Amino acid sequence: MKLSLRDHRTEILLKQRVILAGFLMVMMLSNVFLVVGLVTKKQRWILIPQFDINREMALTTDSFSDEYLAEWAMSLCEDFLTVNPYTVEIKKTRFLQIAARPSGDIQDSLAKMVSSIKQNKASTVFYPKKYHINRETQTIQVTGLFLTYLGRTHRPVSQDRTFLLKWMRGPHGVLLLEDMVEEKGEQSS
């Protein structure tokens, strides 16, 4: 009798263990499917620009919209190329914060620009007019009016200039600037 009771309890315990193991396997598989679903799901964000709250720009995890890329490039050029001897260091630091590699060629060209602005006591202003986005080469071409003021008594030098910005996607989908170079072309005063 004692043996059959012990066998019966062992049999019940084994059945409960099998049921518990099956339940844990189902829970584990559902968690794996949930994680895979969350990681591969395309996310979408809506950005509202600071100064124009009636306008929205959509972003997804796959790519940046053309509108966002154009706004980013034009504001970057406008902000960085509008400098004077007192603000050029601050603008250089802000520019290097969004650079993919804030050393090497970018830092050398920025150092030359900073010294030129300070030596000549020049002030520059850039007004972007148009842009062209090339997703294959991950570049944005920004064309605009570039004004250079040399002292207070001289008239500004007015030129149409084009800048080529190369971007890359950083960790967590962050948009980073790889390079910014001026394309040589027609210039007028």
Side-chain angles (χ1 to χ4, degrees):
M1 179 92 165
K2 283 187 178 183
L3 191 58
S4 68
L5 186 60
R6 185 175 284 167
D7 287 344
H8 182 64
R9 285 186 184 166
T10 306
E11 194 175 306
I12 291 174
L13 189 61
L14 286 175
K15 283 182 182 178
Q16 288 176 346
R17 182 185 253 177
V18 168
I19 290 171
L20 182 62
F23 179 73
L24 288 175
M25 288 297 285
V26 168
M27 292 293 288
M28 193 168 58
L29 283 174
S30 68
N31 282 340
V32 166
F33 288 131
L34 182 64
V35 167
V36 167
L38 286 174
V39 168
T40 60
K41 183 181 178 193
K42 182 177 175 179
Q43 295 181 6
R44 180 185 164 129
W45 299 282
I46 301 292
L47 295 180
I48 299 173
Q50 178 179 358
F51 299 112
D52 189 4
I53 59 173
N54 295 324
R55 198 178 62 160
E56 298 176 347
M57 288 185 283
L59 291 178
T60 64
T61 53
D62 292 344
S63 67
F64 299 103
S65 67
D66 283 352
E67 183 182 14
Y68 179 77
L69 287 172
E71 184 92 15
W72 177 77
M74 291 169 73
S75 66
L76 184 65
C77 285
E78 185 177 356
D79 182 51
F80 180 66
L81 297 171
T82 302
V83 294
N84 63 41
Y86 305 108
T87 62
V88 71
E89 287 289 343
I90 296 166
K91 301 271 181 132
K92 174 188 160 195
T93 304
R94 283 181 24 196
F95 188 79
L96 287 174
Q97 287 175 346
I98 62 160
R101 289 176 277 296
S103 61
D105 292 340
I106 288 182
Q107 193 159 14
D108 293 341
S109 63
L110 289 178
K112 287 177 187 174
M113 188 191 105
V114 167
S115 67
S116 172
I117 293 283
K118 286 183 173 183
Q119 257 181 352
N120 297 324
K121 293 185 173 58
S123 296
T124 62
V125 181
F126 183 72
Y127 299 106
K129 294 179 187 175
K130 60 184 178 177
Y131 65 91
H132 174 70
I133 298 170
N134 185 342
R135 288 188 178 274
E136 291 175 7
T137 59
Q138 291 188 329
T139 57
I140 306 168
Q141 189 178 39
V142 180
T143 303
L145 180 64
F146 190 79
L147 300 172
T148 305
Y149 295 89
L150 298 167
R152 295 180 184 202
T153 58
H154 296 92
R155 292 179 47 101
V157 177
S158 174
Q159 300 171 318
D160 283 330
R161 288 193 178 176
T162 301
F163 294 91
L164 188 68
L165 284 74
K166 183 165 178 56
W167 87 84
M168 68 176 282
R169 209 176 173 102
H172 308 293
V174 174
L175 187 61
L176 296 174
L177 182 69
E178 233 181 316
D179 198 9
M180 179 177 170
V181 293
E182 180 181 357
E183 288 187 332
K184 302 297 180 193
E186 295 178 24
Q187 296 179 351
S188 61
S189 333

